[in-house]
Amino acid sequence: MRLLSTLFILTFLSPSFGQEYPTPESYLCYKSTKPINVDGIIDEKDWEKAEWTDLFVDIEGDKKPLPKYNTRAKMLWDDEYLYISAELHEPNLWSTITERDAVIYHDNDFEVFINPNPSSQMYYEFEMNLLNTVWDLIMTKPYRDGGSYMNSWHIDGLKSAVKMYGTLNEPSDVDEKWTLEIAFPWKVIGQEKPTLIYPKEGRRWRINFSRVNWDLDVENGKYVKHIDPNTGKPAAEYNWVWSAQGEIAMHMPEQWGYIQFTENKVGDKKKIDVSETEGERLHRQLFDIYRLQKKYWYEHRVYAKTFDELGWKTIMKYNSEELQPELNQVAGGFEVVLKVPQEDKIYVVRHDSSSDVISIK
């Protein structure tokens, strides 16, 4: 997979350790009034009522310029499916891959990453190109923790479609955009732990979207990837995302956006704050310690036993009240524990990036 080696280097060797990672985006997902016709055309009245996400940004966030072309998405749900639509402005409509489960990001593509049970290491990845060729897989856990992908897994009942506004693989004209629709069936996405995953009022998942885009040239009347003169190989792709990761690494679920479900029907204007809570921010901040521990292990081949060894000096606060995490040794590694009495919860992150939120009521 493309990000494994990059992620290893960034996770263990980057001088940006200790950086402040971007606050994830949030989205309130309403229930549709009727099933969506998945044809790639975002024309249903329910889609008209649904809010667009903010425009996508570079995967590294503010460290890089805004994307050349606009991308945005919408989400809805009903009793059978989670629906996603997206609009991708693009002057050069191009795709070549037609084999399912091929490496779709070798084309321009749209990608979805879903962790419906944030305490689980397992998550779903889905990619599609302009030809509606799809790649669906399960990640057992992030690559940084030795995770692997289950490529033979298919989403039974998946629906997806593309609409192109222009001509595919025709360099002689300037195209406008492509749009897409996806329907992920609950019977598959929710099968890990249905009682913890199926939408209900206030339930929150982690989700992110990525758009891979390549610079193209024209040779003999056909699109070809632009070659970097310094390497003689195709220039690096762009990675544009809904919720910035802070690094060139999509497989950091703690940095994905939040999706919160409501049983209200789309079009309801009730104000619901779905932004990251203080507890969620603190839980995510524990991953800063996780990353420092991984860096420490790479340098010393053991995990640090104290925060002083790590050089961790950050003061964690819930609003204005200071909190002190604990760093514990456990079989095979470590765990970072933060008790948040304001929420009657304990947040835990471990050496394998598994995590828990424990109620102490």
Side-chain angles (χ1 to χ4, degrees):
M1 298 290 283
R2 71 188 139 150
L3 296 182
L4 180 54
S5 59
T6 303
L7 180 55
F8 181 90
I9 293 169
L10 287 169
T11 299
F12 296 121
L13 300 181
S14 172
S16 63
F17 256 97
Q19 70 177 14
E20 185 171 335
Y21 284 78
T23 300
E25 299 289 334
S26 302
Y27 189 91
L28 182 61
C29 187
Y30 286 92
K31 195 169 187 180
S32 63
T33 62
K34 59 182 180 180
I36 298 294
N37 177 31
V38 179
D39 58 5
I41 306 172
I42 311 172
D43 59 352
E44 283 84 358
K45 290 192 178 298
D46 280 355
W47 279 136
E48 292 177 7
K49 297 174 184 176
E51 295 287 336
W52 287 107
T53 63
D54 287 341
L55 293 177
F56 286 22
V57 297
D58 189 88
I59 192 170
E60 294 186 77
D62 293 341
K63 291 184 284 187
K64 291 294 178 69
L66 291 173
K68 294 192 295 184
Y69 312 128
N70 288 343
T71 312
R72 56 184 183 170
K74 295 184 178 188
M75 290 169 264
L76 289 169
W77 72 282
D78 64 17
D79 291 338
E80 301 295 328
Y81 297 98
L82 168 64
Y83 298 105
I84 294 169
S85 64
E87 177 186 69
L88 303 87
H89 285 264
E90 173 59 65
N92 305 303
L93 297 178
W94 166 77
S95 267
T96 61
I97 297 171
T98 58
E99 179 185 356
R100 183 174 182 142
D101 291 339
V103 184
I104 302 299
Y105 59 73
H106 286 170
D107 278 355
N108 290 345
D109 81 351
F110 183 80
E111 305 177 359
V112 183
F113 296 81
I114 300 175
N115 183 1
N117 179 15
S119 291
S120 172
Q121 294 170 286
M122 189 183 81
Y123 54 90
Y124 305 106
E125 180 177 351
F126 173 84
E127 304 183 9
M128 63 187 294
N129 65 7
L130 286 80
L131 293 168
N132 195 27
T133 308
V134 306
W135 185 13
D136 45 1
L137 57 148
I138 288 179
M139 287 294 305
T140 59
K141 55 185 175 181
Y143 290 118
R144 64 191 178 190
D145 302 300
S148 59
Y149 59 95
M150 299 168 61
N151 203 42
S152 60
W153 175 81
H154 285 180
I155 303 174
D156 183 33
L158 170 78
K159 299 179 182 180
S160 65
V162 169
K163 167 66 176 175
M164 287 179 275
Y165 296 80
T167 49
L168 183 67
N169 298 333
E170 179 49 70
S172 65
D173 62 6
V174 177
D175 305 307
E176 179 186 355
K177 63 182 180 180
W178 58 294
T179 59
L180 61 90
E181 292 177 304
I182 310 165
F184 292 114
W186 297 124
K187 66 180 181 181
V188 176
I189 299 300
Q191 64 186 325
E192 183 187 6
K193 288 187 176 179
T195 58
L196 297 179
I197 290 173
Y198 190 83
K200 67 177 184 178
E201 189 66 38
R203 175 152 285 164
R204 289 164 75 82
W205 292 5
R206 305 305 297 272
I207 191 169
N208 211 352
F209 308 117
S210 173
R211 174 183 179 178
V212 170
N213 233 68
W214 297 85
D215 279 332
L216 301 174
D217 293 328
V218 178
E219 292 183 3
N220 300 318
K222 294 183 178 181
Y223 288 123
V224 295
K225 289 179 181 175
H226 177 71
I227 300 299
D228 183 340
N230 295 317
T231 65
K233 298 178 180 179
E237 76 277 16
Y238 297 103
N239 294 277
W240 301 328
V241 303
W242 169 48
S243 194
Q245 295 289 106
E247 297 181 5
I248 307 175
M250 279 305 299
H251 295 271
M252 297 168 57
E254 69 274 8
Q255 281 301 125
W256 296 350
Y258 298 97
I259 177 175
Q260 180 167 317
F261 295 97
T262 177
E263 295 179 25
N264 294 322
K265 294 297 179 67
V266 64
D268 177 64
K269 297 301 182 182
K270 182 179 179 181
K271 294 293 184 182
I272 301 175
D273 183 7
V274 298
S275 57
E276 184 178 60
T277 67
E278 282 291 280
E280 288 170 334
R281 178 186 59 79
L282 290 168
H283 191 194
R284 186 167 57 85
Q285 196 173 6
L286 295 181
F287 280 92
D288 293 342
I289 301 172
Y290 160 91
R291 283 184 280 267
L292 281 172
Q293 277 282 47
K294 292 294 184 176
K295 178 175 182 287
Y296 191 92
W297 182 93
Y298 181 78
E299 293 172 346
H300 303 280
R301 289 300 188 267
V302 295
Y303 289 119
K305 297 178 181 179
T306 67
F307 289 120
D308 285 341
E309 286 182 279
L310 278 181
W312 169 261
K313 300 184 184 300
T314 301
I315 298 174
M316 302 185 75
K317 292 184 178 182
Y318 189 102
N319 294 328
S320 59
E321 298 182 50
E322 291 189 16
L323 300 173
Q324 180 59 50
E326 298 176 5
L327 184 58
N328 302 325
Q329 290 183 289
V330 298
F334 67 90
E335 66 177 12
V336 190
V337 180
L338 182 68
K339 183 179 291 186
V340 182
Q342 297 90 337
E343 295 185 347
D344 293 319
K345 292 178 180 176
I346 297 174
Y347 294 97
V348 182
V349 171
R350 302 181 185 86
H351 57 274
D352 58 1
S353 78
S354 64
S355 65
D356 277 316
V357 180
I358 304 167
S359 175
I360 55 176
K361 280 187 177 181

